[in-house]
Amino acid sequence: RPPRSTLFPYTTLFRSIYSDKVVLHTLDGVDIVPARVDVMRGRIQAVHRGERSDVMERGVVDFGDKLIAPAFVNGHTHIAMGAYRGIGGRASQAGNVVEELYFKLESHATDEDFRAFARMGAWDVALSGTGAIIDQYYGGLYVAEAMRDVGLTGIVSPTLQDLAGPGATGWAEAMAITETLATDPVWAKAGIFPALGPHATDTVGDNLWGRLLTLAKRLNLPVHVHVGQSLAEVERSWAVHRCSPVERLQRVGAIDADVRMLLVHMLFVSDADLALLSPEKHTLGYCPRSQVQFAYPANIDSWRRAGLPFILGTDAGLCNDSMNVQQELRWLAGAGVYDVPFGDAHARLRRQGDLNSARAVERHRKERFATDKALAEPIALLDTIGRTAARLHPKFNVGTLNVGAIANVCVWDLNHPSVWPATDPLRALTLGDAGPALHAMVLNGEWFGTPGYVAPSIIGGDLYQAHREEAQGRLAALMTRIG
């Protein structure tokens, strides 16, 4: 625990913070400038650019030259599933892990289990510097309660199924929960907003698609769905509907509906499928480390050619082993060169082993490096775990420190060895291992942990310990029920 003297002024109500280095988005990009950030009722109330002597007032917490930046956004996850980490091992990934392992676990779990597990996932996510998530799971209200218990903000998508899966008999309740999250102001105050959560194209029937799209349009809510994530889904789509999963969405009216959609994974899709989508209302979800484990990385080159925006997510902790979305960025930054060792030039090098072949491989690498230049820039990388998520929901203003945004703020110690010397602070924040350098954090306008001691103050606290003990007991009971 930190010495008592270090808690002042953090024991007072959060109001304003200052630093010589604050990350502010502008029309031209990002500035890192001296500024004071004011917060009221969980939102950024004002940003005052200026030196310390010009903007400092009584009660403002001065972080010196530490970097103040928007907290990260995890664009697709299932925080409750972190409880299943390590179950099944590598053998479970050989087949359809969603149906063969996850469905079995989820069929035996209770709503109270989901809440206990989601709390642990929320702690995990927040301690990496993530302030908001986009989650889809069963027991949506319990997931939302778990997020509120920890302080995490985000979009909750109660899973909808009627053809198959653990939620196949509970879709009506999930629809009602979605409407409750949309209409009860207590959730908006907590920075939590709903989306419609059809699980996948092969677990949701035509009638349910019609119902959920009607509700989405009536309440102006986004739709959050897995698409083309497994061969089994594709085979069912062709067997039953004689078309691809994306074409299936078009046939049920989802693609052409006037609703925002987050389509996650998009592994088994064609260029013709992508051409059906609209950059104005469709956002794709990329989870590279998870996809490597349960399938293969999505071809984001095709997404970019189609002009479709995408956000980065971790997926669930059990299929990725981590819910730190910042650690996905290096995979994204290097995505273009993944195909170099599998291209024609490298195949020729392996056959011939001559100098010309080696030079051809290097030309291929340089071409890919140049093509990905814009994608790998720190500002572009930050957008995929930041402000791009705001396009999904009209009230989900995240990823910036602009006025009106949800006050999710991180303070990073640039002198920490994990990011030092931070010659380029944004590069250090995106491509370094930033987590250990987290010095202070604000979630929805309130302190998360004690500044200077964020992780120790959380892990050593009574609330975390109570949550962990409950989740541990529930996990043991679940495993006993499953046998």
Side-chain angles (χ1 to χ4, degrees):
R1 299 288 185 88
R4 191 169 184 80
S5 61
T6 65
L7 297 180
F8 183 82
Y10 308 122
T11 53
T12 61
L13 184 67
F14 178 80
R15 185 174 69 89
S16 301
I17 54 177
Y18 170 88
S19 173
D20 294 333
K21 297 177 180 178
V22 180
V23 177
L24 298 178
H25 285 80
T26 69
L27 294 177
D28 299 321
V30 169
D31 290 339
I32 300 179
V33 297
R36 188 185 92 209
V37 180
D38 298 342
V39 172
M40 181 177 289
R41 300 187 186 92
R43 299 276 174 160
I44 304 295
Q45 181 189 29
V47 177
H48 306 274
R49 293 184 178 224
E51 300 294 334
R52 180 179 288 99
S53 58
D54 297 325
V55 302
M56 207 62 175
E57 293 180 356
R58 183 179 180 183
V60 176
V61 179
D62 187 348
F63 282 106
D65 64 351
K66 292 180 174 61
L67 185 72
I68 295 179
F72 304 136
V73 182
N74 192 330
H76 173 74
T77 191
H78 316 276
I79 55 172
M81 295 179 75
Y84 311 145
R85 276 189 180 117
I87 297 175
R90 182 172 175 79
S92 67
Q93 299 163 9
N96 187 331
V97 68
V98 173
E99 297 181 14
E100 295 168 8
L101 175 62
Y102 304 164
F103 278 6
K104 181 178 180 181
L105 290 162
E106 292 155 349
S107 295
H108 289 80
T110 66
D111 286 339
E112 289 75 16
D113 291 337
F114 294 146
R115 177 169 51 199
F117 299 160
R119 284 171 177 158
M120 294 302 295
W123 290 118
D124 183 9
V125 165
L127 283 168
S128 70
T130 299
I133 63 172
I134 302 172
D135 193 277
Q136 193 207 95
Y137 206 52
Y138 310 98
L141 187 60
Y142 293 84
V143 173
E145 289 175 349
M147 291 167 60
R148 185 177 58 182
D149 289 344
V150 172
L152 199 63
T153 65
I155 293 177
V156 174
S157 317
T159 295
L160 294 167
Q161 294 170 324
D162 64 342
L163 298 181
T169 60
W171 64 264
E173 181 182 3
M175 290 273 283
I177 289 172
T178 305
E179 188 159 5
T180 296
L181 293 173
T183 55
D184 188 338
V186 69
W187 296 109
K189 184 178 179 181
I192 296 172
F193 308 94
L196 275 302
H199 173 257
T201 62
D202 58 336
T203 57
V204 180
D206 290 5
N207 180 60
L208 184 51
W209 271 109
R211 288 173 178 266
L212 71 90
L213 289 172
T214 297
L215 184 61
K217 286 183 280 189
R218 177 164 65 85
L219 297 178
N220 194 18
L221 300 179
V223 172
H224 179 186
V225 58
H226 303 87
V227 181
Q229 69 174 338
S230 70
L231 177 62
E233 177 190 353
V234 177
E235 288 176 334
R236 289 175 188 136
S237 185
W238 280 101
V240 177
H241 308 290
R242 307 306 305 162
C243 65
S244 73
V246 175
E247 291 174 310
R248 158 101 164 102
L249 293 180
Q250 186 185 46
R251 292 185 183 182
V252 297
I255 295 299
D256 297 326
D258 187 21
V259 298
R260 300 174 179 87
M261 291 189 72
L262 171 59
L263 302 96
V264 182
H265 297 317
M266 298 288 283
L267 303 182
F268 294 88
V269 296
S270 67
D271 289 341
D273 289 330
L274 296 176
L276 297 175
L277 306 180
S278 164
E280 284 71 37
K281 60 184 179 180
H282 299 132
T283 303
L284 308 188
Y286 183 44
C287 306
R289 291 195 296 170
S290 169
Q291 291 168 353
V292 164
Q293 292 203 35
F294 73 74
Y296 56 87
N299 188 320
I300 60 172
D301 273 357
S302 61
W303 299 2
R304 295 168 66 197
R305 287 195 299 269
L308 295 166
F310 64 91
I311 57 179
L312 208 58
T314 62
D315 211 347
L318 81 165
C319 59
N320 176 29
D321 301 319
S322 169
M323 284 189 277
N324 182 352
V325 72
Q326 187 261 351
Q327 292 297 293
E328 304 284 337
L329 290 175
R330 285 193 293 273
W331 290 68
L332 174 58
V337 297
Y338 292 165
D339 67 343
V340 172
F342 305 104
D344 293 339
H346 202 279
R348 187 164 59 252
L349 172 65
R350 296 195 303 274
R351 288 194 306 271
Q352 301 177 3
D354 62 340
L355 180 58
N356 286 335
S357 298
R359 286 171 172 164
V361 171
E362 179 63 6
R363 284 195 298 272
H364 185 191
R365 184 197 71 81
K366 287 183 176 180
E367 289 169 1
R368 291 312 320 238
F369 186 84
T371 300
D372 291 342
K373 180 180 179 181
L375 175 65
E377 288 296 322
I379 295 174
L381 293 174
L382 279 178
D383 281 348
T384 65
I385 59 169
R387 62 177 179 168
T388 301
R391 61 184 273 119
L392 296 175
H393 193 290
K395 297 181 181 179
F396 192 52
N397 190 349
V398 292
T400 73
L401 299 181
N402 295 338
V403 174
I406 296 174
N408 291 335
V409 187
C410 288
V411 182
W412 303 96
D413 182 0
L414 299 181
N415 292 319
H416 193 282
S418 67
V419 294
W420 184 88
T423 306
D424 180 343
L426 292 185
R427 182 176 177 84
L429 190 59
T430 52
L431 296 177
D433 184 6
L438 182 62
H439 178 81
M441 192 171 186
V442 173
L443 292 180
N444 200 34
E446 297 184 6
W447 293 115
F448 177 74
T450 301
Y453 304 88
V454 177
S457 66
I458 293 296
I459 302 302
D462 294 339
L463 184 61
Y464 172 81
Q465 292 298 332
H467 286 175
R468 186 194 61 79
E469 289 174 8
E470 180 186 356
Q472 192 73 45
R474 289 189 173 280
L475 179 58
L478 173 61
M479 299 307 291
T480 298
R481 289 198 298 275
I482 293 177

